[in-house]
Amino acid sequence: MKNNRLQQKGTGHSRKLVLLAILLVAALAMTGCYVEPDRIVDDTNGLTVATAGQQFDTVITPTPAVTATPTPTPATTGGSQQVDWSNWNFGSDNATNPPSNVNTVSGGATAAPNNNVTVAPATATPKPTATTTAASTTLQSGSKGTAVKQLQQRLKELGYYTGSVDGTYGAGTASAVKAFQTANNLTADGVAGTKTQEKAYSYYAVPKKSSTGNSSSSSSSSSSSSSSSSSSSNNNNNSSSNTTANSYTNGKTNIYLQLGSTGEQVKILQNRLIVLGYISGTADGTFAETTEAAVVAFQKRNSIYADGIAGPTTLTKLYSTSAKKASSVVANLGSLKLNMNGSGVRALQSRLKDLGYYSGSLDGDYGAATQLAVTAFQTANGLTADGVAGKATLNVLYGSTGTGSSSSGVNADTYGETATTNGYSTISSTTSTSKTNVTALQSALSSTGYYSSVLDGSYGDKTIEAVKNFQKAKGLRVSGIAGPSTQRLLYGGTSESGSYDKLDVGSTGAAVKNLQYTLYELQYYDGKITGKYDESTAAAVRLFQEGNGLTMDGVAGQDTQRKLYSSNAKPCNS
């Protein structure tokens, strides 16, 4: 009986051992088919695992064995990190540090954990960074300061801005911003808001495309025909220049010519300026203030940054067949004196008039009135008062040190407080305007959706804000005061009619002041209100004419003034 129990117990143990052996064999067999997947480390671990779009919950078909390649030699600095994962503890989800045995290798991404196969690192495209930090403040017409200066410089780098980097957001800056916005698929309102500034300072900013169009036949022949025209405009008795159209063919374009430069290249530059009608006289090879004045005029006429320095951009344009000719001579090389005549004398008279020494007509005749004006200028500037406009006198006259005989004008904003043109007078919080006029202004703003408060006839903060919003929307100078142009565009109905005297370079008086301030309101002019029709005023008139489909001659004739003083006038940024 006892033996039977022992025998049965032995048989039971044998069965258990057999079952255990079978289970062990099965387990061993299964280990050859199943591989525990790597744990996915969550974002809080501080590790980056490149999935390359792979879904980790899908079954991955085993790939054929790949012959291992040697591990790259670790670099000392830079690169990505290739990790030896053998010491990594996958049993904890709270791990915050990578394994201690990290090797730095060259490449652009973190290698995936694989102890048998070296995986080529994926190439990652770095995110472009802004060249300059964009300001968050909105910049618009009237804004001033460092932020504006930085924006102007950036727009200049991108090819949209050609004016002076002066930190003043004027018509030129607004036009450049508008052009940039158009090219970069932004709202083209001429206002540099956050989106515009971020785009401008970004790597992705689209620069201005350079013109590749062919010059017309008329422009290609301008060089050959201009030599004869220059002789007719160069009637100074002291001039014997025989400048030809080919006198600039040896001009270099990879140099910089400026005040103080001398030599053959300066003479070639001067001859080309004479051919194009910017300067009169005989080339002397000395880059003085008279030559600088001619270079500035050329740069303005050809839409180049007007700094008076003839660098590669200026010289390339100057020596090209597409260079624009001058509308008038701006300076003379050599001396001018009594009884001389011609374009050089006319330029002298114009400059003396700008400075307040000459009040006669710009007739190009060096008469007694011109001589007296020259003498007065010489006396005021510590020069020999002989009435002869020699090199020394002309260089001071066209330089930045020349002293004017009267005030240089009134700030446009100050002038605007009491401006009156063609029946409209400024309405503002500081003017003694009747309540009736203010109420009418509020009513018009209300009907156009810019004012929603009480029509109380009080020019308060809400009225100022409404005027600013209207001005901004219409492309006018944003001042908050309802000047004549603001009222004309707001009320409408002012036709292109009336009779006006022609205004041109040399004109003076109240009519010029009205012209300058109206151009200021429409954002074509940024200077002071001087009452003197100078080159800057003529340039503003050209811009207005261009924007309003008129002949671009810089002369404020009937058609120009009728358009300017109508409710159909288009502001610079409209």
Side-chain angles (χ1 to χ4, degrees), residues 26-82:
L28 289 173
M30 290 175 68
T31 58
C33 301
Y34 176 78
V35 178
E36 183 182 8
D38 289 338
R39 295 178 63 85
I40 304 303
V41 184
D42 62 30
D43 292 338
T44 62
N45 291 11
L47 293 177
T48 302
V49 179
T51 65
Q54 189 179 58
Q55 299 297 324
F56 285 92
D57 57 354
T58 59
V59 177
I60 303 173
T61 304
T63 56
V66 181
T67 303
T69 58
T71 302
T73 303
T76 55
T77 59
S80 63
Q81 294 180 337
Q82 180 172 301

Side-chain angles (χ1 to χ4, degrees), residues 54-393:
Q54 189 179 58
Q55 299 297 324
F56 285 92
D57 57 354
T58 59
V59 177
I60 303 173
T61 304
T63 56
V66 181
T67 303
T69 58
T71 302
T73 303
T76 55
T77 59
S80 63
Q81 294 180 337
Q82 180 172 301
V83 181
D84 180 350
W85 295 86
S86 60
N87 291 343
W88 181 253
N89 179 14
F90 284 101
S92 172
D93 285 336
N94 298 319
T96 57
N97 297 311
S100 60
N101 53 343
V102 175
N103 294 325
T104 302
V105 297
S106 60
T110 302
N114 190 322
N115 293 328
N116 298 318
V117 181
T118 299
V119 181
T123 301
T125 302
K127 182 180 180 181
T129 56
T131 56
T132 308
T133 302
S136 59
T137 304
T138 296
L139 301 175
Q140 56 191 342
S141 293
S143 299
K144 294 183 179 181
T146 303
V148 176
K149 187 174 292 187
Q150 291 175 345
L151 177 64
Q152 290 171 328
Q153 183 60 48
R154 178 58 175 160
L155 290 171
K156 186 180 286 289
E157 292 171 359
L158 294 171
Y160 293 95
Y161 183 64
T162 58
S164 175
V165 182
D166 55 8
T168 299
Y169 203 115
T173 305
S175 295
V177 169
K178 194 171 182 179
F180 171 79
Q181 291 169 326
T182 300
N184 286 268
N185 297 318
L186 298 167
T187 301
D189 56 6
V191 176
T194 301
K195 288 185 178 179
T196 296
Q197 291 184 60
E198 286 179 350
K199 186 74 170 182
Y201 292 119
S202 75
Y203 176 84
Y204 303 104
V206 177
K208 185 176 181 180
K209 295 181 179 179
S210 59
S211 175
T212 57
N214 295 325
S215 301
S216 64
S217 58
S218 60
S219 64
S220 63
S221 62
S222 65
S223 296
S224 59
S225 63
S226 59
S227 59
S228 59
S229 65
S230 67
S231 61
S232 64
S233 64
N234 190 22
N235 293 326
N236 301 312
N237 294 347
N238 67 320
S239 175
S240 59
S241 174
N242 293 318
T243 304
T244 66
N246 296 320
S247 63
Y248 61 90
T249 53
N250 295 321
K252 296 180 179 179
T253 59
N254 61 341
I255 57 176
Y256 287 86
L257 300 175
Q258 55 191 319
L259 280 176
S261 298
T262 58
E264 184 63 24
Q265 287 301 316
V266 175
K267 186 175 288 187
I268 292 173
L269 164 76
Q270 291 170 328
N271 279 328
R272 180 57 171 159
L273 289 169
I274 291 172
V275 167
L276 294 175
Y278 288 92
I279 199 167
S280 61
T282 304
D284 58 11
T286 299
F287 198 119
E289 284 78 2
T290 46
T291 302
E292 183 183 52
V295 170
V296 169
F298 172 80
Q299 290 170 326
K300 288 180 178 179
R301 184 84 171 92
N302 289 270
S303 301
I304 300 171
Y305 179 45
D307 57 2
I309 298 174
T313 300
T314 298
L315 292 171
T316 299
K317 185 69 174 179
L318 180 67
Y319 298 141
S320 73
T321 57
S322 63
K324 293 182 180 179
K325 295 171 64 178
S327 57
S328 61
V329 169
V330 297
N332 182 78
L333 294 171
S335 297
L336 297 171
K337 56 186 178 182
L338 192 64
N339 296 325
M340 285 187 172
N341 59 76
S343 57
V345 176
R346 189 177 296 109
L348 170 68
Q349 292 171 330
S350 177
R351 181 61 176 160
L352 288 168
K353 177 165 281 193
D354 287 343
L355 295 175
Y357 292 98
Y358 181 72
S359 58
S361 61
L362 304 181
D363 55 9
D365 291 325
Y366 203 119
T370 303
Q371 185 181 48
L372 287 173
V374 170
T375 301
F377 174 81
Q378 290 170 328
T379 301
N381 288 274
L383 300 165
T384 301
D386 57 4
V388 176
K391 275 190 176 183
T393 296

Side-chain angles (χ1 to χ4, degrees), residues 463-477:
T463 303
I464 293 174
E465 182 182 2
V467 170
K468 285 184 176 180
N469 288 335
F470 174 78
Q471 291 170 328
K472 185 184 298 183
K474 297 299 180 181
L476 293 161
R477 181 84 54 181

